[in-house]
Amino acid sequence: MEAFRGLVTAFRTLTVLPVPGKDALRFSTALYWFPLVGLFLGALQAFCAYAAASTGWHELAGFAAVLAGVLLTRGLHADGLADLADGFWGGKDRQAVLRIMKDPNVGSFGALSLVLVFLLKWIAAVKLVDLHAYGAIASGVLLARWVQVLLASSMPYARSEGGTAQAFVAGAGRSHLVLTSLSSTALLLLLLQADLRLAGVALAAAVMSALATGLIARRKAGGVTGDVLGAVSELTETAVWIGCAIIGR
């Protein structure tokens, strides 16, 4: 029963879809289900791209993939990316970084990061549509949710006063990392039809994105927050799409 509640919490946390049932007693239980929710979201985004591509307008198809991701999550991770950019580049010390990241207003660094990252995502998505690589589109979304578990399981929570993501990070541990890594790899191979070369590039892009974000977060904020987890999701999705687009040429 607790495992099923974890699935409910994962869907409620990562999507805007109404899911019946009770939340998990320990929110960290939901982390086990993050890759599955990522697979679900990725499949929907890939389907939207495929449907739009039937018009012959691949630029529209790439936009459909990106827009679907925003609508299905209500821009949750994009908000985290903007807050991270404002805090990391606008704060002079750890306290300032955390204070700025908590501010709901979007500054110039946040706006620039959203424009640049979403432009890159659209460019990569258009190329993947050209290549008919819809599995790669779904893979980027899947791995973007896996790296959230990776950072939550390996880094401390940055805010002493608590926050939205504290309940997830506080209970995260090795079992979450191991099980989600195994499930994500299996699902990735399924999506990419056991193409080991493409899967290796996707995994490498995801790990490098998570490592870079984690190192900067530790130096700037002393750990992770909900904004850091949201930002790493957006950055990883972009990195995986770009890597797959390049290797698939």
Side-chain angles (χ1 to χ4, degrees), residues 168-218:
F168 293 93
V169 178
R174 183 177 299 177
S175 64
H176 297 89
L177 179 57
V178 171
L179 290 178
T180 57
S181 296
L182 292 174
S183 63
S184 296
T185 301
L187 292 172
L188 178 66
L189 291 173
L190 179 65
L191 286 172
L192 299 180
Q193 300 178 356
D195 187 331
L196 297 181
R197 182 165 172 260
L198 193 57
V201 169
L203 278 173
V207 171
M208 287 189 291
S209 175
L211 181 60
T213 305
L215 289 175
I216 296 174
R218 184 177 291 277

Side-chain angles (χ1 to χ4, degrees), residues 20-31:
K22 296 182 179 180
D23 278 312
L25 298 176
R26 293 175 298 176
F27 274 24
S28 58
T29 305
L31 295 175

Side-chain angles (χ1 to χ4, degrees), residues 18 23 67 79 111:
D23 278 312
L67 179 62
D79 179 68

Side-chain angles (χ1 to χ4, degrees), residues 65-143:
V66 175
L67 179 62
V70 173
L71 295 179
L72 288 168
T73 63
R74 201 170 56 186
L76 174 66
H77 305 313
D79 179 68
L81 174 64
D83 288 341
L84 179 141
D86 282 333
F88 283 13
W89 276 270
K92 295 182 178 180
D93 53 40
R94 181 173 178 268
Q95 289 71 28
V97 167
L98 293 174
R99 184 181 68 253
I100 294 172
M101 289 172 66
K102 199 170 184 178
D103 188 338
N105 298 310
V106 177
S108 57
F109 292 115
L112 285 171
S113 70
L114 289 176
V115 171
L116 293 175
V117 169
F118 274 82
L119 180 60
L120 280 173
K121 286 178 71 172
W122 175 72
I123 292 172
V126 171
K127 183 61 179 179
L128 292 175
V129 170
D130 287 342
L131 296 170
H132 303 285
Y134 298 103
I137 293 177
S139 296
V141 185
L142 162 69
L143 292 176

